[in-house]
């Protein structure tokens, strides 16, 4: 049984209800998960408020940051436990979890402990109307209790991306992980206890969205701020819920991210980058590429080479070193993606590769598998070119001129990320600056410096996190103005 973690203790929900955590690799049961009631969420928020006013709030900045470094070290020490939990929940290849998800989960605590120690606030000297000198400086104060609502695609990484800076800034948190991936958020409670994080600082409640833990948490009057990563529709519901309490929100939402390939690009590097951005984590990455615009002269070559790379991906059990493609997160998500595959065919697309369910071994037949898929013949205006699918698929669409590529890349309600492939430095700067997205990679993908701003525009979200931008969201700034009266003696 995976339990809620409230005030430093694991406990079942008061209602006695549970739900199943299923393995997407083969459809087997991993564990039952205890569902939190409204009263359990009350307890978690109250514990967080008590810790804020008590032992956590009383710590010096250096003590708090040292504890977060200890959390990171303990995640590293228990990396195998976290990898096993993450792989069981998501079905992703073990190599991906061990090289990306879990190390980044630990790094998020170190990076933001360092940031809050070293990023200064503004200081100004000036004069009052009577001519006396003044000094203005800003203080950072924690927002309070932060509700952290997490997605299922990179569970530990994206949860600690929020919990790390929230705790570094002196807040306390109540985490609601996805019902699809509850294990690593719960396991982190053991780490918090083992390194001496005070009770109530880190809490976890399990459940769903409407009329469950998600709604109970985001509408709770004791919550001071909400941070969410997930689909746009859910984000809109959370924003509506936050309005009643005038609560600040940070929203990292969906995307329909473009990659633009010019005919002077290094094709080897381009195909390597596209193979990752389209198919990594079975396309279940908010930053992933679903629209690939290729200049006409090299269109056929890119299509052929990308399709060949997709065909070489091998589905299988996550612990098999030969596995390079995992399943989707659930049977429900598999049905959604397969519906888009059928829609693409109905809209006139040609599946150069994929387009269905892969031939997997008998024991994996009940898993949530889909084939990596590359389409041509997709109209830019079609649904499969405009709606987020969140699977291992992309539409490859030709263009003639830079202006045409820019128009199509920006023609979307989303604005999260983009990639540009070109050997022309001037064009790279010019084109990247004209894209209406939060993150642009040139000749690369998913290269992250955690000090940089991260987030989207339009339907892709509100706000930025990362580096000082996380500190701005997770703290309130207070200005202190001191007037120096009298003359020096």
């Amino acid at each position: 049984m995976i339990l809620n973690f409230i005030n430093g203790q694991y406990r079942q929900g008061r209602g006695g209800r549970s739900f199943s955590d299923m393995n997407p690799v083969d459809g087997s049961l991993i564990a039952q998960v205890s569902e939190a009631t409204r009263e359990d969420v009350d307890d978690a928020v109250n514990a967080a408020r008590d810790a804020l006013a008590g032992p956590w709030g009383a710590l010096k900045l250096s003590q708090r940051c040292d504890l977060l470094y200890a959390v990171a070290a303990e995640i590293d020490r228990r990396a195998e436990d976290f990898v096993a939990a993450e792989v069981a929940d998501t079905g992703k290849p073990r190599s991906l979890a061990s090289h990306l998800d879990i190390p980044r989960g630990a790094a998020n605590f170190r990076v933001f402990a360092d940031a809050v120690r070293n990023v200064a606030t503004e200081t100004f000297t000036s004069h009052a109307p009577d001519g006396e000198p003044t000094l203005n400086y800003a203080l950072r104060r924690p927002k309070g209790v932060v509700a952290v609502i997490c997605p299922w695609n990179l569970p530990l990484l994206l949860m600690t991306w929020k919990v790390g800076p929230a705790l570094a800034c002196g807040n306390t948190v109540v985490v609601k992980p996805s019902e699809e991936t509850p294990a690593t958020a719960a396991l982190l409670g053991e780490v918090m206890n083992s390194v001496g994080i005070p009770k109530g600082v880190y809490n976890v409640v399990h459940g769903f969205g409407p009329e469950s833990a998600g709604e109970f948490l985001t509408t709770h009057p004791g919550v001071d701020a909400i941070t969410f990563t997930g689909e746009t529709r859910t984000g809109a519901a959370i924003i509506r819920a936050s309005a009643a309490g005038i609560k600040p929100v940070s929203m990292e939402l969906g995307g329909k991210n473009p990659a633009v390939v010019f005919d002077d690009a290094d094709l080897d590097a381009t195909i390597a980058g596209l193979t990752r951005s389209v198919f990594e984590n079975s396309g279940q990455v908010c930053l992933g590429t679903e629209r690939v615009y290729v200049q006409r002269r090299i269109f056929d070559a890119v299509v052929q080479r990308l399709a060949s790379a997709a065909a070489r991906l091998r589905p299988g059990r996550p612990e098999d070193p030969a596995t390079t493609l995992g399943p989707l997160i659930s049977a429900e998500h598999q049905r959604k993606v397969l519906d888009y595959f059928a829609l693409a065919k109905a809209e006139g697309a040609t599946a150069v590769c994929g387009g269905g369910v892969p031939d997997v071994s008998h024991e994996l037949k009940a898993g949530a598998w889909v084939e990596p898929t590359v389409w041509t013949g997709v109209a830019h205006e079609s649904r499969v070119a405009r709606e987020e699918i969140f699977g291992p698929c992309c539409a490859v669409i030709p263009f003639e001129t830079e202006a045409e590529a820019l128009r199509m890349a920006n023609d979307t309600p989303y604005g999260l990320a983009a990639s540009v492939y070109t050997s022309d430095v001037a064009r790279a700067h010019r084109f990247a600056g004209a894209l209406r997205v939060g993150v642009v990679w040139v000749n690369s993908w998913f290269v992250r410096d955690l000090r940089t701003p991260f987030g989207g525009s339009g339907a892709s979200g509100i706000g930025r996190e990362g580096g000082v931008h996380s500190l701005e969201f997770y703290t309130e700034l207070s200005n202190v103005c001191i007037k120096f009266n009298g003359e020096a003696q």
Side-chain angles (χ1 to χ4, degrees):
M1 175 75 76
I2 297 176
L3 301 174
N4 301 289
F5 183 74
I6 298 172
N7 202 28
Q9 297 182 330
Y10 288 97
R11 61 186 236 190
Q12 291 191 357
R14 293 189 181 189
R17 296 174 59 181
S18 64
F19 57 92
S20 298
D21 181 16
M22 307 301 292
N23 187 332
V25 172
D26 56 14
S28 62
L29 177 68
I30 299 170
Q32 291 297 121
V33 185
S34 181
E35 183 176 358
T37 65
R38 188 182 297 273
E39 290 74 24
D40 294 315
V41 173
D42 280 342
D43 290 346
V45 173
N46 290 335
R49 297 211 73 82
D50 290 344
L52 192 68
W56 188 244
L59 290 179
K60 297 176 181 177
L61 172 63
S62 60
Q63 295 172 314
R64 194 166 70 233
C65 293
D66 287 346
L67 280 172
L68 296 186
Y69 255 75
V71 168
E74 186 67 1
I75 292 173
D76 288 341
R77 189 184 73 81
R78 297 191 59 182
E80 287 302 311
D81 296 335
F82 279 96
V83 168
E86 201 84 320
V87 165
D89 271 357
T90 64
K92 67 179 60 180
R94 181 182 176 83
S95 58
L96 183 60
S98 61
H99 288 94
L100 174 65
D101 299 59
I102 307 310
R104 263 288 305 275
N108 286 332
F109 288 101
R110 295 189 182 96
V111 165
F112 290 106
D114 289 342
V116 79
R117 276 179 168 133
N118 296 308
V119 174
T121 59
E122 295 175 321
T123 302
F124 299 102
T125 58
S126 58
H127 292 84
D130 62 5
E132 295 288 349
T134 63
L135 171 67
N136 285 269
Y137 63 91
L139 298 174
R140 293 194 186 278
R141 305 185 191 281
K143 277 267 187 3
V145 176
V146 179
V148 178
I149 316 295
C150 310
W152 46 255
N153 57 329
L154 301 166
L156 184 72
L157 187 161
L158 291 175
M159 182 264 287
T160 58
W161 172 246
K162 299 169 181 300
V163 170
L167 298 189
C169 291
N171 302 281
T172 55
V173 298
V174 181
V175 174
K176 208 293 283 184
S178 168
E179 61 273 17
E180 302 284 3
T181 53
T184 49
L187 182 58
L188 189 59
E190 293 183 12
V191 169
M192 296 290 177
N193 281 347
S194 69
V195 304
I197 297 289
K199 293 180 179 180
V201 171
Y202 175 81
N203 305 273
V204 181
V205 291
H206 298 295
F208 304 89
E211 300 180 359
S212 187
E215 179 180 326
F216 303 153
L217 183 58
T218 55
T219 60
H220 199 289
V223 167
D224 298 296
I226 303 169
T227 178
F228 169 77
T229 296
E231 67 167 354
T232 300
R233 183 171 53 185
T234 303
I238 292 173
I239 292 170
R240 288 193 294 270
S242 71
I246 319 297
K247 296 172 185 175
V249 295
S250 178
M251 296 278 140
E252 197 261 283
L253 306 177
K256 188 71 175 178
N257 306 309
V260 178
V261 183
F262 289 96
D263 61 10
D264 61 351
D266 179 324
L267 278 189
D268 290 338
T270 297
I271 298 304
L274 290 175
T275 302
R276 286 189 64 220
S277 67
V278 176
F279 305 120
E280 188 160 286
N281 204 36
S282 296
Q284 300 169 124
V285 182
C286 59
L287 302 166
T289 301
E290 292 191 4
R291 298 181 289 149
V292 181
Y293 299 105
V294 181
Q295 201 154 24
R296 179 81 63 180
R297 187 176 68 85
I298 60 169
F299 179 81
D300 291 341
V302 169
V303 169
Q304 185 274 321
R305 292 186 61 174
L306 185 58
S308 296
R312 288 193 295 272
L313 296 173
R314 178 179 168 180
R317 288 199 172 276
E319 63 273 14
D320 184 346
T323 296
T324 51
L325 183 76
L328 299 182
I329 190 63
S330 66
E332 179 184 4
H333 190 51
Q334 180 196 39
R335 286 191 293 272
K336 172 195 167 184
V337 172
L338 289 175
D339 284 347
Y340 272 106
F341 284 11
L343 175 64
K345 185 176 180 180
E347 290 183 328
T350 298
V352 182
C353 66
V357 177
D359 184 17
V360 294
S361 59
H362 176 74
E363 64 271 18
L364 303 184
K365 291 290 187 183
W369 301 95
V370 299
E371 290 180 314
T373 299
V374 175
W375 294 300
T376 58
V378 175
H380 173 71
E381 300 78 15
S382 66
R383 286 181 58 193
V384 293
R386 300 192 66 79
E387 298 176 10
E388 183 179 37
I389 301 172
F390 220 59
C393 56
C394 69
V396 188
I397 299 172
F399 71 88
E400 298 287 351
T401 66
E402 182 177 326
E404 181 187 11
L406 182 63
R407 177 187 61 78
M408 291 193 293
N410 280 339
D411 183 20
T412 174
Y414 296 104
L416 185 54
S419 298
V420 180
Y421 293 90
T422 179
S423 60
D424 184 330
V425 174
R427 172 190 278 157
H429 285 289
R430 179 174 64 246
F431 200 86
L435 287 165
R436 294 195 295 269
V437 295
V439 182
V440 181
W441 284 284
V442 176
N443 298 326
S444 62
W445 178 75
F446 211 169
V447 179
R448 292 285 293 124
D449 183 324
L450 304 187
R451 297 170 296 182
T452 60
F454 180 82
S457 56
S460 290
I462 297 173
R464 296 291 183 271
E465 295 189 34
V468 67
H469 311 284
S470 286
L471 306 188
E472 295 296 332
F473 177 72
Y474 291 106
T475 58
E476 297 283 7
L477 285 172
S478 296
N479 186 72
V480 178
C481 179
I482 297 178
K483 181 183 177 186
F484 297 94
N485 295 313
E487 297 179 357
Q489 301 297 313

